[in-house]
Amino acid sequence: AICVENKSLRRHRVEIYRNGQRTPLYQLPSGATADLAFSPDNDLLAYVFNDDVRMVEMSTGKTAGELRAHKNTIRDIEFAPDGRTLASVSNDRRLIIWDPHTGRLLWSQVAHGNRALAVAFHPRLPTLATAGSDAIVRFWTMRDLIAGDEARLVGEFPLDTAHPRHLKFSAG
């Protein structure tokens, strides 16, 4: 699938297409942000709509659920590499870990002193990172969460900027 964002003076539209097809499989509703994530197996699309995360089944284009817990604008979402969890961060300062298949909130924590702006999963380790407008990157272990306990802060380092937009781990 491919996501196409079309901005013009008259309208803003985000459409999802299957490879090789000219008709969109799904069009995000008006007012939805372009912040979205595909699950690693491409079964689900998650996108931000106001303060919620909406899930779409890619095989049918039908809504698969809504994830609601944030109290302010969601800034970033990302699937874990195994697809079993989805992380979201928000202006409400929180990092939330979800089960995207059931919609269940697995864990929630204030992650930053100010807005939480970006989140990224490590491609191989049970670790994720968050960045906030407090100019800090924080590292969280998911190992305990996988074992049925809580995610845990394991490190942090300061940034030169208080407005990080993206956060990604390298594959190596």
Side-chain angles (χ1 to χ4, degrees):
I2 186 168
C3 171
V4 177
E5 181 178 13
N6 181 4
K7 288 184 179 181
S8 70
L9 293 175
R10 296 176 191 233
R11 63 180 163 174
H12 177 213
R13 188 170 65 206
V14 179
E15 297 172 325
I16 308 300
Y17 292 85
R18 279 205 194 145
N19 296 341
Q21 292 189 354
R22 298 180 69 106
T23 306
L25 172 69
Y26 189 79
Q27 182 174 326
L28 275 63
S30 177
T33 69
D35 193 15
L36 53 85
F38 290 99
S39 63
D41 61 8
N42 291 317
D43 284 346
L44 291 173
L45 164 70
Y47 68 92
V48 175
F49 186 75
N50 297 323
D51 301 340
D52 304 326
V53 177
R54 292 190 178 175
M55 309 297 291
V56 176
E57 293 176 355
M58 290 302 298
S59 60
T60 65
K62 294 186 178 176
T63 300
E66 291 186 33
L67 312 178
R68 295 182 176 174
H70 283 291
K71 305 289 187 237
N72 207 321
T73 304
I74 297 171
R75 303 298 293 226
D76 197 15
I77 57 176
E78 185 165 332
F79 279 95
D82 64 6
R84 294 186 344 205
T85 55
L86 176 82
S88 60
V89 292
S90 166
N91 284 350
D92 66 8
R93 307 177 306 150
R94 301 191 80 72
L95 162 64
I96 297 180
I97 308 296
W98 309 88
D99 179 331
H101 302 285
T102 66
R104 190 168 71 101
L105 187 152
L106 300 174
W107 183 77
S108 177
Q109 173 72 40
V110 171
H112 291 275
N114 292 320
R115 297 173 295 152
L117 301 174
V119 63
F121 280 94
H122 191 281
R124 290 186 316 280
L125 301 175
T127 302
L128 65 84
T130 60
S133 62
D134 55 5
I136 296 174
V137 172
R138 292 202 164 102
F139 296 94
W140 308 83
T141 180
M142 300 289 290
R143 183 170 285 126
D144 296 333
L145 185 66
I146 293 166
D149 203 353
E150 295 186 348
R152 198 167 35 87
L153 181 65
V154 293
E156 62 183 38
F157 72 86
L159 296 172
D160 292 335
T161 178
H163 301 286
R165 293 194 56 187
H166 302 286
L167 192 60
K168 297 290 180 197
F169 283 97
S170 70

